[in-house]
Amino acid sequence: MKPVVLYTKDYCPYCHAAKALLDNKKVSYTEFDVQFDAERLQEMLARSNGRKTVPQIFIGEQHIGGFDDMNALNTAGDLDALLQDESTTNLEHS
């Protein structure tokens, strides 16, 4: 399974929803709370092409976007394959 990274803020309901979705799928993830961590915030901005909203979600090196993006992948039935797939997939989200 590819590593999953979430950049979050504690008070964010979409962050909690993203973590709950992954928890329900029994997917482990690394979470970085960027609320008071300027270095991680800069890392998130660089990796997400300047997106400032949270969560910002990465599966492997691929930027998925936010919770709505990940939930759409899940609803379409594509999230599980993306989590398992070892090849590089190009999904564009703006």
Side-chain angles (χ1 to χ4, degrees):
M1 186 167 292
K2 291 181 180 177
V4 178
V5 174
L6 287 85
Y7 294 89
T8 66
K9 292 183 180 179
D10 185 55
Y11 63 82
C12 167
Y14 291 102
C15 299
H16 293 286
K19 293 186 289 185
L21 191 156
L22 293 170
D23 289 343
N24 286 338
K25 291 185 163 293
K26 300 192 182 340
V27 173
S28 61
Y29 53 86
T30 301
E31 177 182 9
F32 298 116
D33 187 326
V34 297
Q35 186 171 357
F36 301 111
D37 189 335
E39 185 175 322
R40 288 289 183 195
L41 177 61
Q42 291 306 310
E43 177 183 292
M44 178 191 86
L45 292 171
R47 290 186 74 191
S48 67
N49 294 315
R51 290 181 82 178
K52 297 176 184 176
T53 59
V54 289
Q56 290 300 316
I57 303 163
F58 294 82
I59 298 176
E61 292 301 313
Q62 182 175 340
H63 182 223
I64 300 306
F67 169 71
D68 289 340
D69 301 306
M70 183 172 69
N71 195 43
L73 285 170
N74 189 51
T75 300
D78 296 330
L79 182 59
D80 290 337
L82 184 59
L83 289 164
Q84 297 297 330
D85 185 12
E86 290 303 315
S87 66
T88 302
T89 306
N90 291 319
L91 294 179
E92 293 295 326
H93 296 283
S94 56

